[in-house]
Amino acid sequence: MGRLDGKVIVLSAAAQGIGRACAIAFCKEGAKVIATDINEEKLKELQQYSGIQIKVLDVTKKEQIEKLAKEIEKIDVLFNCAGFVHHGTILDCEDRDWDFTMNLNVRSMYMMIRAFLPKMLAENSGNIINMSSVASSIKGVVNRCVYSTSKAAVIGLTKSVAADFIEQGIKCNCVCPGTVDTPSLRDRIQAQPNPEQALQEFLQRQRTGRMATAEEVAHLCVYLASDEEKRGEGEVGTLTHQLPLLE
Ligand code: NAD
């Protein structure tokens, strides 16, 4: 018996990094996974898993989102994972960086939730997981101005959806990882003038002495996607997962 047997899970940014690890983990736990991304080439690597169906989706495009929502009859879990890291302070952030980041990191989630929530409400049951970050309202991180702003907005969006719909059977949580070793993180390190030094600086920031892995974040997402998290009396909304920043 898998922990997600029979569940239909739609997720974005599934072609690499955390999204890919989650798509595989969801599938291994018995879910029927609809894995989406803009990168069709990399997405195809997931076709080796019989429980994963791939779909090309740009989450900044409303018409593509609405088309996908129409095609999918039933959805149990929506995992909004797509996001982009802009490096720099507010003075390094041009209008186009601001708009691109807010569109991809926040507006996409607004559009995805609006497209899929009515289907969940019709069933009186649904589960939404949003990808935030410890770089948000949780922690001030250098050179992450628009990124942190966008991820703080994701926390606000999550808590708001949770508060509005918890009584109608909808769970909404977000995950807030620390630094996770993913292809885009490696690219960001390589883009620094001294990549080796940049890697060491990333590692020194980690109190555990290492970065989290995408698979570790996927364990948490499996838990959130499952029915193991009881809808209790406690506060609904944000589950902060600060792997591996312990503070
Ligand atoms: P990544 O950057 O390695 O991969 C991102 C994926 O998103 C790629 O497959 C890319 O093709 C896809 N993508 C980009 N634009 C898209 C669009 N418009 N529509 C659909 N897909 C698109 O991913 P990652 O580092 O695993 O990060 C995934 C999420 O986790 C992001 O939201 C990120 O902000 C968040 N996060 C990452 C870390 C980290 O340290 N890596 C830490 C905290 C939070």
Side-chain angles (χ1 to χ4, degrees), residues 182-244:
T182 62
S184 70
L185 180 85
R186 291 281 164 180
D187 290 346
R188 287 199 297 283
I189 290 171
Q190 280 309 316
Q192 295 303 306
N194 184 341
E196 185 49 37
Q197 189 190 335
L199 173 64
Q200 289 314 317
E201 281 169 8
F202 261 114
L203 289 172
Q204 277 159 19
R205 267 180 20 197
Q206 317 301 321
R207 304 254 313 264
T208 54
R210 68 175 183 86
M211 292 183 260
T213 65
E215 288 70 27
E216 285 173 305
V217 181
H219 287 311
L220 174 66
C221 293
V222 165
Y223 166 69
L224 287 176
S226 75
D227 297 324
E228 292 157 22
E229 190 204 21
K230 296 276 177 276
R231 289 172 203 153
E233 300 295 310
E235 188 187 348
V236 293
T238 315
L239 186 72
T240 60
H241 188 55
Q242 301 191 24
L243 264 176

Side-chain angles (χ1 to χ4, degrees), residues 43-244:
L43 209 47
K44 279 186 181 159
E45 293 170 15
L46 291 172
Q47 279 175 326
Q48 59 182 297
Y49 299 91
S50 60
I52 302 182
Q53 188 189 347
I54 62 163
K55 293 256 179 203
V56 176
L57 174 72
D58 180 340
V59 289
T60 64
K61 300 279 188 308
K62 194 175 190 177
E63 56 299 345
Q64 291 187 23
I65 292 173
E66 287 175 350
K67 184 168 173 279
L68 181 70
K70 271 204 192 103
E71 281 167 25
I72 292 168
E73 222 160 273
K74 169 185 181 283
I75 176 171
D76 297 292
V77 182
L78 171 66
F79 178 27
N80 291 310
C81 184
F84 169 77
V85 181
H86 176 266
H87 179 95
T89 70
I90 193 165
L91 298 177
D92 304 312
C93 181
E94 303 293 339
D95 290 357
R96 62 173 183 279
D97 303 318
W98 181 271
D99 291 345
F100 180 82
T101 301
M102 296 303 279
N103 268 337
L104 177 51
N105 295 11
V106 190
R107 194 166 188 273
S108 68
M109 296 194 188
Y110 150 77
M111 293 193 292
M112 290 286 275
I113 295 170
R114 272 183 61 97
F116 285 98
L117 182 58
K119 283 180 198 287
M120 294 176 170
L121 288 171
E123 301 288 324
N124 286 315
S125 169
N127 189 341
I128 300 165
I129 306 167
N130 296 323
M131 177 54 77
S132 181
S133 169
V134 71
S136 57
S137 49
I138 297 172
K139 191 175 179 345
V141 175
V142 293
N143 286 318
R144 290 287 179 273
C145 180
V146 65
Y147 180 73
S148 299
T149 305
S150 72
K151 293 300 190 183
V154 171
I155 294 176
L157 173 70
T158 303
K159 289 199 178 210
S160 171
V161 171
D164 283 337
F165 296 101
I166 186 77
E167 280 150 8
Q168 292 162 72
I170 308 297
K171 281 199 298 189
C172 187
N173 286 290
C174 63
V175 282
C176 304
T179 310
V180 187
D181 195 353
T182 62
S184 70
L185 180 85
R186 291 281 164 180
D187 290 346
R188 287 199 297 283
I189 290 171
Q190 280 309 316
Q192 295 303 306
N194 184 341
E196 185 49 37
Q197 189 190 335
L199 173 64
Q200 289 314 317
E201 281 169 8
F202 261 114
L203 289 172
Q204 277 159 19
R205 267 180 20 197
Q206 317 301 321
R207 304 254 313 264
T208 54
R210 68 175 183 86
M211 292 183 260
T213 65
E215 288 70 27
E216 285 173 305
V217 181
H219 287 311
L220 174 66
C221 293
V222 165
Y223 166 69
L224 287 176
S226 75
D227 297 324
E228 292 157 22
E229 190 204 21
K230 296 276 177 276
R231 289 172 203 153
E233 300 295 310
E235 188 187 348
V236 293
T238 315
L239 186 72
T240 60
H241 188 55
Q242 301 191 24
L243 264 176

Side-chain angles (χ1 to χ4, degrees), residues 6-21:
K7 289 194 185 297
V8 177
I9 304 183
V10 175
L11 80 155
S12 64
Q16 69 175 32
I18 299 169
R20 179 187 155 92

